[in-house]
Amino acid sequence: MKIAVCGKGGSGKSTVTVLLAKELARKGKPVLVIDSDESNYGLSRQLGMEVPADFTAYFGGKEKALQDMMLSNFTHQFFDGTWTLKDIPESYCSEKDGVKLMASGKIHTANEGCACTMGNVISQFIDHLILLRDEYALMDMEAGIEHFGRGIDNGVDQILMVVEPSYESLALTGKILELGQSIGKPVCFVLNKVDDENQEWMRENICEGAEVVCALPSEKKISAAGLRGTELQDQYDAIANLAEALVNGTSGMVPVL
Ligand SMILES: Nc1ncnc2c1ncn2[C@@H]1O[C@H](COP(=O)(O)OP(=O)(O)O)[C@@H](O)[C@H]1O
Ligand SMILES: [Mg+2]
């Protein structure tokens, strides 16, 4: 099952991706985390892993890949045929406790150009990735909704939006539900950083028709790890229940085929 984890910047996409990946791995499921956020620096640290090599380098690096795309008039297919988890070259992956991490690539220097090439590589990768029944790919998306415009979500089975307690984040729920539905993808919502006071407001003010599948409390240990850049090691009931729902195909999640 391929899941896109999206939401506004700072809402907790990386945190939820990591906690869910670790929970699924604890259940013995093979998990691939795909970092498709070019400005994401905390993800590997939250997983307790080294930063993997940019996957775009596999195709000769950003410049070469962009050149290939331009020469082919933007019809360049980086992948011919399908890929499985085993086909991902080890040199482009970090791995720990049953979770693999790969990354599309980062912006390394000023004026080096936009991240479209990386977006193209990763969207083709997710399209060509074939998973077994019990395998999971979690894509930690870039903030906002540009990834919908780039077509990256077309290749996933499920969209999970992380919603934090802010007007901005709640306002985005309707747009993401609409965008997901427009490409035929089920969208579910994870309320993050909830407490007794904000949860009720969030549930009342989330967009109409939203399916809330998880409410992760605001936890001191999570924010402390976020500040220090250390691994997330604790388990949370809300995420354990979400993993269970995913595996069983219940609670609004698409069933695993
Ligand atoms: N449930 C939570 N409780 C406390 N802090 C959280 C929680 N979820 C996320 N955070 C903190 O919020 C900040 C943003 O989270 P992050 O996962 O990096 O967001 P995103 O990937 O959406 O930009 C981090 O400092 C993180 O530690
Ligand atoms: Mg992030």
Side-chain angles (χ1 to χ4, degrees), residues 223-244:
S223 53
L227 176 64
R228 290 170 174 74
T230 51
E231 185 176 356
L232 292 170
Q233 281 174 318
D234 290 288
Q235 282 179 264
Y236 300 95
D237 288 348
I239 298 290
N241 293 338
L242 176 62
E244 193 67 23

Side-chain angles (χ1 to χ4, degrees), residues 8-15 17 35 37 39-43 46 140-143:
K8 99 180 224 331
S11 59
K13 297 178 294 297
S14 299
T15 302
T17 302
D35 182 1
D37 179 355
S39 55
N40 210 0
Y41 289 96
L43 181 68
Q46 287 176 310
D140 186 8
M141 306 298 265
E142 62 184 308

